[in-house]
Amino acid sequence: MELLRKWLGHPEDIYNLLRFKMGGYRAVMPRIDPVSGAGSDSGGREGCAALSPVPGMIVFFSPPRHAVCIFYLVLRALDTIEDDMSISLDVKVPMLHEFHSYLYQPEWKYMESKEKDRQVLEDFPTISMEFRNLSKVYQEVISDICHKMGIGMAEFLEKKVDSQHEWDKYCHYVAGLVGIGLSRLFSASELEDPIVGQDTELANSMGLFLQKTNIIRDYLEDQLEGREFWPREVWSRYAKKLSDLAKPENIDMAVQCLNELITNALHHVPDVLTYLSRLKNQSVFNFCAIPQVMAIATLAACYNNKQVFRGVVKIRKGQAVTLMMDATNIQAVKAIMYQYVEEIYQKIPSTDPSSNKTQQVIASIRAMSLPGGPMASRHHYSPIYLSCAMLLAALSWQYLSTITKATEEYVQAGEN
């Protein structure tokens, strides 16, 4: 389930749970109760505080922070079961269906996994204990999303993504439900209005836009690892086998297929802008907006780009930091979206089969993105705000590097 790996964090992050339980990073995150904001001595909470979709961001909205972290860990455990090819289907399918019930079984854990993230299953009693300590309203959201996701995962275990409808359905199960769950947590915390959690269509689009971007960008990586997520309905018009798109002689058809899928993903942008326009809490806005602007920048880099079939297409770190600094309000996000869809528009080949559809969806995004006043820009911010933003961005990158290094040291120590 790619969203959990690429939006919510790195696969190795789960090992930080044990480091925090041992008191390795007590000074990094304050111990705050998820509902009242009061102090807590829970080692599990310290571990969860280290896990964040945007490193260094989640600390700024304390009430749902712990709930979001537990949500992350629970879905990581579910994802690990889905990914583990050593578990037979007759065992895996019931586990996926019933996984939500394990949250209420204090002793449940799974010790047979062969996955590199198996520790999240082996230490599941710690996670489930912290889950049961959450407010009931948070428990209900997490359990419900976990139940729906488990059923969806089981459905696609032996089923390939054929139609575009099934592509949307698969992305809903593995990413849209994450967006819906997070939105319900934001509303349950009262940091956002009830409509944010109630409008599941918009929340679903938030997840689908990120998931489709990841699937599109990671064509070659997935091919090398034997995974296929591009919908057959689309790629079959350009090749006999999905793997054929990577052959040099098929590069022109491959790029046309790529452009059609990017056009499909762009249809979610209006929903993304509507969703973000409803957010009131600054930190929730940052938390939600940053992955979305990273996604549009990634799609702009991938559009009509042969490199997608030859290697890895990534946005530069400096570009990522700039996006983090800029995406602080809806007008700024609209300006960013406008910038990158214009970049795509300038690259549309006149001979591309999807060119008309691409132009049409860009026109709809332009209509929503045209600013009513001056475009928000970091260059207009006060020197104090700019300094704080630059510091936050720098600390975020440094934090990520430190956590990754510490994780590697811990894993190596455990292996020895």
Side-chain angles (χ1 to χ4, degrees):
M1 185 165 50
E2 296 302 302
L3 185 65
L4 290 179
R5 290 190 176 91
K6 296 167 185 172
W7 184 22
L8 296 185
H10 295 265
E12 296 88 354
D13 283 348
I14 185 56
Y15 295 110
N16 288 302
L17 176 64
L18 296 186
R19 289 192 68 92
F20 273 82
K21 284 169 64 182
M22 294 187 295
Y25 291 106
R26 291 186 180 276
V28 176
M29 294 286 188
R31 289 170 285 179
I32 300 176
D33 183 86
V35 178
S36 67
S40 168
D41 291 325
S42 170
R45 291 180 184 178
E46 290 180 358
C48 296
L51 304 173
S52 165
V54 181
M57 284 290 187
I58 203 170
V59 68
F60 293 110
F61 55 104
S62 299
R65 181 188 69 179
H66 188 52
V68 170
C69 288
I70 293 300
F71 186 41
Y72 166 84
L73 289 170
V74 168
L75 297 189
R76 170 71 76 208
L78 182 61
D79 183 43
T80 301
I81 290 176
E82 182 204 25
D83 285 346
D84 195 333
M85 301 305 294
S86 70
I87 305 176
S88 62
L89 289 180
D90 60 333
V91 174
K92 184 183 292 189
V93 170
M95 285 180 71
L96 292 175
H97 283 167
E98 299 299 322
F99 191 83
H100 67 289
S101 68
Y102 302 153
L103 292 167
Y104 296 96
Q105 299 177 28
E107 304 302 322
W108 188 90
K109 57 185 175 181
Y110 187 71
M111 306 298 291
E112 308 301 322
S113 177
K114 306 301 181 184
E115 286 291 293
K116 62 180 179 180
D117 296 334
R118 61 186 176 275
Q119 202 154 359
V120 72
L121 294 171
E122 295 172 356
D123 199 34
F124 197 76
T126 300
I127 298 170
S128 66
M129 177 185 68
E130 292 299 330
F131 165 83
R132 293 188 299 276
N133 286 336
L134 291 175
S135 168
K136 289 293 184 183
V137 66
Y138 293 155
Q139 289 186 36
E140 290 171 359
V141 171
I142 295 172
S143 177
D144 180 52
I145 296 298
C146 185
H147 188 196
K148 292 174 179 175
M149 190 175 290
I151 292 174
M153 286 177 168
E155 179 182 338
F156 278 91
L157 279 178
E158 292 188 299
K159 178 180 177 182
K160 292 199 173 184
V161 179
D162 287 328
S163 67
Q164 293 186 65
H165 172 74
E166 286 181 336
W167 198 36
D168 282 353
K169 190 175 183 181
Y170 170 76
C171 291
H172 164 73
Y173 283 138
V174 301
L177 284 172
V178 178
I180 291 170
L182 287 170
S183 300
R184 290 171 62 185
L185 291 176
F186 297 151
S187 293
S189 70
E190 298 185 357
L191 289 179
E192 298 296 343
D193 290 340
I195 188 62
V196 172
Q198 293 167 357
D199 196 334
T200 56
E201 184 175 346
L202 293 187
N204 186 60
S205 285
M206 292 284 285
L208 263 61
F209 186 56
L210 298 180
Q211 181 70 11
K212 288 182 178 181
T213 298
N214 289 331
I215 288 174
I216 291 167
R217 180 194 63 190
D218 292 340
Y219 164 84
L220 190 60
E221 177 185 330
D222 287 337
Q223 280 294 301
L224 293 174
E225 296 186 13
R227 300 190 299 260
E228 293 189 355
F229 298 113
W230 285 25
R232 178 185 295 270
E233 180 184 342
V234 175
W235 65 255
S236 62
R237 292 197 290 268
Y238 302 92
K240 292 183 178 180
K241 295 187 298 182
L242 182 56
S243 58
D244 288 345
L245 295 178
K247 296 179 179 179
E249 63 267 26
N250 298 328
I251 191 62
D252 291 339
M253 297 295 282
V255 169
Q256 290 178 5
C257 181
L258 168 71
N259 291 348
E260 181 173 346
L261 290 181
I262 290 176
T263 300
N264 177 295
L266 288 174
H267 281 88
H268 297 292
V269 173
D271 277 356
V272 168
L273 292 175
T274 301
Y275 179 97
L276 293 175
S277 69
R278 289 177 173 173
L279 301 180
K280 297 180 178 180
N281 181 275
Q282 183 65 59
S283 293
V284 173
F285 184 89
N286 294 346
F287 181 93
C288 296
I290 290 174
Q292 302 295 330
V293 296
M294 297 286 190
I296 192 66
T298 299
L299 289 183
C302 290
Y303 186 81
N304 209 49
N305 189 348
K306 298 177 181 178
Q307 188 61 26
V308 172
F309 303 95
R310 297 170 177 168
V312 181
V313 176
K314 291 184 178 181
I315 59 176
R316 301 182 307 276
K317 285 188 177 181
Q319 185 181 4
V321 170
T322 299
L323 290 171
M324 288 174 64
M325 293 167 62
D326 283 357
T328 57
N329 59 75
I330 188 60
Q331 284 304 118
V333 170
K334 286 181 177 181
I336 291 169
M337 292 291 188
Y338 189 93
Q339 170 193 340
Y340 284 110
V341 296
E342 284 299 306
E343 184 178 314
I344 293 173
Y345 183 82
Q346 295 301 322
K347 295 192 291 185
I348 299 175
S350 59
T351 57
D352 190 276
S354 303
S355 60
N356 288 337
K357 290 183 179 179
T358 309
Q359 291 168 355
Q360 289 171 8
V361 70
I362 286 178
S364 67
I365 297 170
R366 279 173 172 164
M368 292 188 68
S369 300
L370 285 172
M375 285 188 183
S377 169
R378 64 188 174 94
H379 301 296
H380 298 155
Y381 298 151
S382 69
I384 292 178
Y385 180 88
L386 182 57
S387 297
C388 290
M390 292 178 68
L391 177 60
L392 174 60
L395 286 175
S396 296
W397 286 109
Q398 184 61 42
Y399 176 76
L400 178 58
S401 299
T402 301
I403 289 297
T404 301
K405 182 178 179 181
T407 296
E408 291 173 352
E409 291 174 354
Y410 175 73
V411 174
Q412 290 173 2
E415 291 175 348
N416 295 332

